[in-house]
Amino acid sequence: MSHLPLGNLTAQAAADELGLSLRTLQRRLHDKNTSFQLVLDALRKKQAWQWVTSGHLPLAEISYRLGFRHTGNFTRAFKRWFAVAPLQARLSETH
């Protein structure tokens, strides 16, 4: 999570953080029928829902923390994941 706002969470960075070679990380993910990108998207999706519905952080901050360069990109991803805009999700969860 700490690498997301920097926009540099790569498979290589994750492998380094885990003390694995890139190839070993890729092989282990493949053995579990997944990929680095799928894991990263699932992490972003889960964290996005938690932060949006908690109502504690501005949407621009959430976008930044999840590694999106523009809030619009975050909004489109959120809509794709949950079929609702972040602001609508926030309002429905807090009322």
Side-chain angles (χ1 to χ4, degrees), residues 28-90:
R28 289 184 182 176
L29 291 170
H30 182 266
D31 290 347
K32 295 186 181 290
N33 296 316
T34 193
S35 68
F36 178 77
Q37 191 60 52
L38 289 173
V39 172
L40 179 60
D41 287 345
L43 172 68
R44 281 176 152 176
K45 179 180 177 179
K46 179 181 176 184
Q47 196 61 59
W49 184 262
Q50 289 176 348
W51 283 338
V52 165
T53 58
S54 75
H56 294 38
L57 294 171
L59 295 179
E61 178 68 17
I62 295 169
S63 174
Y64 167 76
R65 287 185 181 199
L66 293 175
F68 290 93
R69 292 187 188 268
H70 303 286
T71 304
N73 295 344
F74 167 66
T75 297
R76 283 187 290 283
F78 195 92
K79 284 181 183 179
R80 186 177 69 249
W81 294 329
F82 302 109
V84 64
L87 186 56
Q88 291 171 311
R90 175 169 282 176

Side-chain angles (χ1 to χ4, degrees), residues 1-10 13-14 17 65-67:
M1 285 298 297
S2 64
H3 290 276
L4 285 175
L6 304 175
N8 66 353
L9 184 56
T10 63
E17 194 78 22
R65 287 185 181 199
L66 293 175

